[in-house]
Amino acid sequence: MTKRSTYEKNQSKAPSQRANPSRTQKKEAQKKSAQIQKIKRVPKRRISKVPKYEDIGDFEGSRKARHWDREMIIPYFLLFRKGGKPIPQSYKFWDHRFLMDYWHLKGWEFGNWTTQEDRLNYVCAMGIGLYDLKQILGFPKEFIGLKGMMGLAIGARGKGRALAHFEPWSWNINITRYQAYGDSKGKMKLPIPDNPKLRHFLYTGGVGSFAHEYGHALDYWFGAYYDHGLTVALSAGDSLRTRTKRELLSKKTLRGITEKILDAIIWEKPGVYTSYYTTLKQRTRGEYWIRRNEIFARAFEQYITYKMAQQKMVNSFLSKEKYSSLVYMDPRLLKKVAPIFDQLITAMKRYIKTKK
């Protein structure tokens, strides 16, 4: 028996039953678009006073430089920040050289796979993120860049599956570049389906990790240069220690206050873990989530989000939840820990003034 072709089967059906690819595709597209959150598509345009970035790397006079001279930049970075104080016009967040001088940064690194558009957007996002950190922490601006020791890297120092990481041996913070368009394997349910680069830039890579890595930087830098101890980090680094050093709790030193933060996060009362720490131990894999430096850095990023909310602002490049809610403190515990972080930041500013 000869099998009929798809065409013959369609012809044997009533007109209303025949396959109509264009109609089917249209219905699926309409259904999908109704399920996806809609936000305005960012148009291509030039940003006033923003210099061309052909001088970052070996681009001057190249075909790539001529290409970006003709192209217009899509300012993705504008979608990260909402609310907050207006950024003064004198603050050139788009100029990497200005940011180096202003914050006393060591330098910038850009990966080979970052385009000029990528570099400009990440520089702008980081520049605005540093400005917001300054408003929250209140450090002198030369200390935001760890007195010229901190470097910033964009897609240049990737490390395994990490979305971002801090290197205490080089004092660099690396933010991973957004994923290539095919990396999500169809699992991403994100807005703006007609602009894949935009949704990948906003939702993949190291976006939302900057405050976490900056927390690591403060932990190690103040431990190394301002409050010396048996470990470099104030938090005791990647130690899995849960026992609280009682002799530190009464001290108003940086290590004493950090010990107080971790004690509040780990212990509900003597001998009883908090539900948060119990969850970390029982429902996460590996020791990464219960290392003291990681608990501290996640708490710091939540603290930054908490302080931004008090100022009625959001900066999702600086901080946002990237993993399961299990690995983050609940609002009750965060409210308990936040005042202790206030004490730590105040003490850090005091150390800065007295030990320049």
Side-chain angles (χ1 to χ4, degrees), residues 159-353:
K159 186 178 181 182
R161 295 184 178 182
L163 300 178
H165 71 275
F166 167 69
E167 299 175 355
W169 57 89
S170 66
W171 303 101
N172 280 303
I173 291 177
N174 177 70
I175 299 296
T176 303
R177 192 195 74 125
Y178 59 85
Q179 293 178 355
Y181 304 159
D183 289 354
S184 61
K185 299 180 181 178
K187 296 180 181 179
M188 296 173 65
K189 296 180 180 179
L190 303 171
I192 325 177
D194 56 342
N195 190 335
K197 180 173 178 178
L198 177 52
R199 70 172 181 263
H200 280 245
F201 190 93
L202 295 179
Y203 294 95
T204 68
V207 166
S209 304
F210 193 71
H212 179 101
E213 304 308 328
Y214 195 80
H216 279 309
L218 295 182
D219 182 15
Y220 280 80
W221 190 67
F222 277 96
Y225 295 102
Y226 286 84
D227 192 348
H228 305 294
L230 295 176
T231 59
V232 174
L234 299 174
S235 64
D238 57 6
S239 168
L240 304 181
R241 172 172 63 86
T242 58
R243 182 184 62 83
T244 301
K245 293 185 176 181
R246 297 293 167 185
E247 66 275 13
L248 283 176
L249 290 184
S250 60
K251 296 182 178 180
K252 296 182 180 180
T253 61
L254 300 180
R255 289 182 185 272
I257 302 172
T258 304
E259 191 76 9
K260 191 175 179 181
I261 289 172
L262 290 168
D263 177 72
I265 293 173
I266 295 173
W267 296 104
E268 189 69 46
K269 59 184 179 180
V272 180
Y273 289 139
T274 59
S275 58
Y276 169 66
Y277 188 78
T278 301
T279 299
L280 287 181
K281 282 184 69 70
Q282 294 179 352
R283 301 184 64 180
T284 59
R285 294 182 179 181
E287 64 178 36
Y288 169 81
W289 302 102
I290 56 174
R291 293 174 184 168
R292 291 176 68 85
N293 57 357
E294 291 300 333
I295 293 175
F296 176 84
R298 280 198 307 279
F300 179 80
E301 68 173 286
Q302 283 194 268
Y303 170 74
I304 293 298
T305 302
Y306 177 79
K307 299 299 282 188
M308 287 194 294
Q310 289 184 330
Q311 298 180 18
K312 297 182 179 180
M313 67 171 292
V314 172
N315 187 326
S316 58
F317 182 86
L318 195 58
S319 177
K320 71 174 182 178
E321 291 192 2
K322 302 169 290 300
Y323 307 105
S324 165
S325 59
L326 297 175
V327 303
Y328 297 100
M329 295 182 290
D330 60 57
R332 180 192 65 83
L333 184 55
L334 175 59
K335 194 172 181 179
K336 178 182 177 182
V337 170
I340 315 176
F341 260 110
D342 288 337
Q343 294 175 28
L344 180 63
I345 301 305
T346 300
M348 286 178 171
K349 288 187 282 192
R350 185 174 67 248
Y351 270 71
I352 285 172
K353 288 181 180 179

Side-chain angles (χ1 to χ4, degrees), residues 6-287:
T6 304
Y7 174 79
E8 291 172 328
K9 290 179 181 178
N10 282 336
Q11 292 302 312
S12 66
K13 296 179 181 179
S16 61
Q17 295 177 316
R18 292 176 188 170
N20 188 336
S22 61
R23 183 182 300 172
T24 303
Q25 291 172 3
K26 186 175 180 180
K27 285 183 178 179
E28 289 179 354
Q30 289 174 345
K31 184 177 179 181
K32 185 176 181 181
S33 125
Q35 295 172 343
I36 296 175
Q37 178 187 2
K38 293 183 179 179
I39 63 176
K40 292 182 180 180
R41 185 178 179 180
V42 182
K44 284 191 175 185
R45 62 184 177 87
R46 291 193 186 280
I47 305 170
S48 61
K49 298 183 181 178
V50 175
K52 300 180 183 66
Y53 268 55
E54 61 266 10
D55 54 346
I56 300 181
D58 300 324
F59 298 122
E60 190 168 0
S62 65
R63 282 171 36 180
K64 186 178 287 188
R66 292 194 295 273
H67 167 77
W68 285 106
D69 188 40
R70 295 189 302 270
E71 289 291 317
M72 288 191 283
I73 298 297
I74 301 178
Y76 302 123
F77 69 90
L78 293 175
L79 296 179
F80 289 126
R81 189 179 193 262
K82 295 179 182 177
K85 294 181 180 179
I87 297 175
Q89 292 184 353
S90 60
Y91 180 66
K92 302 176 183 178
F93 59 81
W94 58 82
D95 188 335
H96 69 292
R97 293 187 180 87
F98 171 86
L99 295 174
M100 280 182 62
D101 294 338
Y102 192 85
W103 299 119
H104 293 241
L105 299 171
K106 179 174 64 176
W108 293 85
E109 291 184 40
F110 300 90
N112 293 333
W113 294 97
T114 53
T115 66
Q116 300 293 67
E117 182 175 67
D118 296 340
R119 297 174 186 206
L120 177 57
N121 273 290
Y122 278 114
V123 165
C124 290
M126 282 188 172
I128 294 171
L130 290 168
Y131 179 86
D132 288 340
L133 272 178
K134 168 69 170 66
Q135 306 311 307
I136 294 168
L137 300 177
F139 291 165
K141 64 180 184 180
E142 63 269 19
F143 281 85
I144 293 291
L146 310 185
K147 293 183 68 175
M149 293 187 66
M150 187 174 77
L152 300 177
I154 300 167
R157 291 172 171 259
K159 186 178 181 182
R161 295 184 178 182
L163 300 178
H165 71 275
F166 167 69
E167 299 175 355
W169 57 89
S170 66
W171 303 101
N172 280 303
I173 291 177
N174 177 70
I175 299 296
T176 303
R177 192 195 74 125
Y178 59 85
Q179 293 178 355
Y181 304 159
D183 289 354
S184 61
K185 299 180 181 178
K187 296 180 181 179
M188 296 173 65
K189 296 180 180 179
L190 303 171
I192 325 177
D194 56 342
N195 190 335
K197 180 173 178 178
L198 177 52
R199 70 172 181 263
H200 280 245
F201 190 93
L202 295 179
Y203 294 95
T204 68
V207 166
S209 304
F210 193 71
H212 179 101
E213 304 308 328
Y214 195 80
H216 279 309
L218 295 182
D219 182 15
Y220 280 80
W221 190 67
F222 277 96
Y225 295 102
Y226 286 84
D227 192 348
H228 305 294
L230 295 176
T231 59
V232 174
L234 299 174
S235 64
D238 57 6
S239 168
L240 304 181
R241 172 172 63 86
T242 58
R243 182 184 62 83
T244 301
K245 293 185 176 181
R246 297 293 167 185
E247 66 275 13
L248 283 176
L249 290 184
S250 60
K251 296 182 178 180
K252 296 182 180 180
T253 61
L254 300 180
R255 289 182 185 272
I257 302 172
T258 304
E259 191 76 9
K260 191 175 179 181
I261 289 172
L262 290 168
D263 177 72
I265 293 173
I266 295 173
W267 296 104
E268 189 69 46
K269 59 184 179 180
V272 180
Y273 289 139
T274 59
S275 58
Y276 169 66
Y277 188 78
T278 301
T279 299
L280 287 181
K281 282 184 69 70
Q282 294 179 352
R283 301 184 64 180
T284 59
R285 294 182 179 181
E287 64 178 36

